[in-house]
Each structure stands twice: as structure tokens, then as C-alpha cells.
Amino acid sequence: MKLLTIDEIISSILEETEGLDAEITDGIILSKKEISPSEIEKLKSELEIEYLDFVFTENILSYNWGNFGFLSYQFGYGDEMSLNWLLNRNLEYEDYQVLHKKGLIIIANGDPYTILLECKSGKIYAFTSDMSYDEIIPIASDFREFIRAIGTAQYAVWKKDEKEFVEMMRSMVVDSGLSFWKELVGVY
């Protein structure tokens, strides 16, 4: 098994959801969207972010993350043309100031992990409410790798290849990060 490209992920989602009612597929199908670059400037201004990773910026402006989820992880809901979902998710978070001081923002919520982006480096982390912010788990080197991995995880679940997916991820992440990917696909 290898990480799927974003185009392969989109194709696999379309194939798996073919013939399903639009109400069911809303928020499952990843599609290209052109969000205005001014939304990034608004995001940086309101969250007081000096530098926001280019890989994240490029991808967040190109797809409908404001109304999309993989497995149990939701990137946003009902906001396909702006980044208000991302703003609200962070500004309404009770420990936002702690995250801000560490240069982190929340980019997705799920069960049991919350997904964080390190704004400057672009690294992706996961943490639970039981962890301190010093215990966050590295799960991807950047947003594109994270999306490719979580999309491949979705594909692996559909194809019942969860163990093969975990073996692939074992070579890509440190041991602490592997726990996230195992839990995501239900392999313990």
C-alpha cells in the first residue's frame, strides 16, 4: 500500500459514494473550491498569526475543507467559501491563548483527538483532552501528507485493508504518532 494522491482520494470517494443520495454524501466528497486568498489574510489577522505554512495555505484555499470530514474527523461544517469555520473553531476554544503562544491552531476535531497545525513549520499534531500541550503527538510532516494519509486511511477502511495501512504508516511516523493512525482505522 502507498499513500494515495489527493486526486486518487477524490476518485475513491466518488467511487464509494456513487449512487448515494446527495444528503448522505454532503460533507463526504472532497471537491476543488477556489477560496479567496484574502481569507488567509483575514485568518492570520484575527488569529494574530505572523506566518502560516505555505502547504497548508495552498491546500486550504483549493478544496472544500469548510464542509468536509474523513472517518471521525471533521474539518468544518457548512462553510465552503470562507475560512470562518477555522476562525471560530480556534477563537471559541477555551485554551486558544495557550495554543497561540505555542504557534498552533486547531484544524480539525474528531474522536478522541483534536488535530493541530504548527503554523510556522506546517507539522501536524494530534492531542486529546487528557494530554498536556507538551505531549502532543506528531502525525504528519505537513498538511498535504496528513490529508493523503487520512484519505488513504478512509480508503483502507472501505477496502478492509486497515492492517496494511498501519504497516505503511509504521515506516512514516514515530511510535507515538502510530497510535493515532491505529486508532483511526481501529487496529490496536
Side-chain angles (χ1 to χ4, degrees):
M1 177 172 277
K2 66 176 182 60
L3 286 183
L4 299 176
T5 66
I6 292 179
D7 287 339
E8 289 170 333
I9 291 166
I10 291 170
S11 293
S12 73
I13 294 169
L14 291 173
E15 182 180 308
E16 279 299 316
T17 60
E18 187 177 349
L20 295 178
D21 189 290
E23 267 187 43
I24 295 170
T25 62
D26 187 38
I28 297 174
I29 297 176
L30 181 62
S31 58
K32 294 192 179 217
K33 289 279 186 202
E34 288 295 322
I35 296 175
S36 170
S38 66
E39 287 293 316
I40 291 293
E41 294 310 312
K42 177 182 170 187
L43 178 74
K44 287 169 61 178
S45 174
E46 292 196 31
L47 295 181
E48 299 175 6
I49 299 169
E50 186 176 329
Y51 180 82
L52 190 58
D53 176 65
F54 176 75
V55 173
F56 177 74
T57 300
E58 177 182 58
N59 283 276
I60 206 75
L61 293 177
S62 300
Y63 297 92
N64 67 326
W65 301 111
N67 192 40
F68 186 74
F70 278 119
L71 297 168
S72 65
Y73 288 84
Q74 189 67 34
F75 290 86
Y77 183 74
D79 183 17
E80 294 184 28
M81 297 310 293
S82 73
L83 299 180
N84 290 332
W85 59 272
L86 192 54
L87 275 170
N88 293 336
R89 183 166 288 150
N90 283 277
L91 293 175
E92 294 171 2
Y93 180 64
E94 63 188 46
D95 284 345
Y96 171 69
Q97 288 305 320
V98 175
L99 292 180
H100 181 67
K101 285 179 185 171
K102 292 186 172 290
L104 300 165
I105 60 170
I106 296 170
I107 59 168
N109 285 346
D111 182 23
Y113 295 96
T114 297
I115 308 302
L116 303 172
L117 167 78
E118 187 173 56
C119 296
K120 200 167 195 172
S121 72
K123 292 179 183 172
I124 306 295
Y125 297 91
F127 83 104
T128 67
S129 59
D130 298 350
M131 298 173 150
S132 77
Y133 293 109
D134 294 328
E135 298 174 307
I136 60 176
I137 301 169
I139 58 172
S141 62
D142 64 32
F143 187 69
R144 187 174 295 124
E145 180 182 86
F146 173 65
I147 295 309
R148 290 181 65 201
I150 200 167
T152 303
Q154 176 74 70
Y155 178 81
V157 167
W158 282 332
K159 300 301 181 190
K160 304 205 182 318
D161 287 335
E162 295 93 335
K163 288 182 181 175
E164 188 178 344
F165 170 78
V166 168
E167 286 308 309
M168 178 193 63
M169 292 309 294
R170 186 179 306 281
S171 67
M172 295 180 61
V173 296
V174 297
D175 287 343
S176 60
L178 191 59
S179 62
F180 168 82
W181 296 108
K182 283 180 168 183
E183 180 143 351
L184 182 68
V185 297
V187 173
Y188 302 100

